[in-house]
């Protein structure tokens, strides 16, 4: 298994919205496609390290991605 490093230049550590977008991408990939996926910021861009190639990552977001709820209204206190 090889590791692919994807540089996501639209996900910088600032502003906050870009930071949260990067965390969301990492969460989705690690929960639904590659549990060993990792991420870091380098030179104002988010680096996603995953077993998915560019084509596989694109295919994941186009066809396999399933939205997940941020809030569960059926749980108490959320």
């Amino acid at each position: 298994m090889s590791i692919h490093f994807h540089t996501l230049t639209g996900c910088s550590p600032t502003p906050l919205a870009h930071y949260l977008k990067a965390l969301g991408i990492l969460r989705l990939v690690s929960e639904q496609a590659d549990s060993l996926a990792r991420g870091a910021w380098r030179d104002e861009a988010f680096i996603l390290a995953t077993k998915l190639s560019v084509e596989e990552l694109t295919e994941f977001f186009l066809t396999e991605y399933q939205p997940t709820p941020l809030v569960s209204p059926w749980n108490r206190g959320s």
Side-chain angles (χ1 to χ4, degrees), residues 22-39 46 48-52 57 60-61:
L23 293 182
I25 291 170
L26 178 60
R27 177 179 169 257
L28 289 172
V29 171
S30 65
E31 284 182 356
Q32 297 182 21
D34 178 12
S35 62
L36 299 177
R38 300 292 182 257
F46 187 71
L48 178 65
T50 178
K51 67 179 181 182
L52 303 176
L57 190 60
F60 165 71
F61 278 110

Side-chain angles (χ1 to χ4, degrees), residues 35-56:
S35 62
L36 299 177
R38 300 292 182 257
W41 276 270
R42 184 177 302 138
D43 299 325
E44 296 296 311
F46 187 71
I47 309 296
L48 178 65
T50 178
K51 67 179 181 182
L52 303 176
S53 67
V54 172
E55 295 81 17
E56 292 169 326

Side-chain angles (χ1 to χ4, degrees), residues 47-75:
I47 309 296
L48 178 65
T50 178
K51 67 179 181 182
L52 303 176
S53 67
V54 172
E55 295 81 17
E56 292 169 326
L57 190 60
T58 303
E59 185 69 19
F60 165 71
F61 278 110
L62 290 176
T63 63
E64 300 170 26
Y65 156 69
Q66 295 290 319
T68 55
L70 294 177
V71 176
S72 307
W74 50 88
N75 290 335

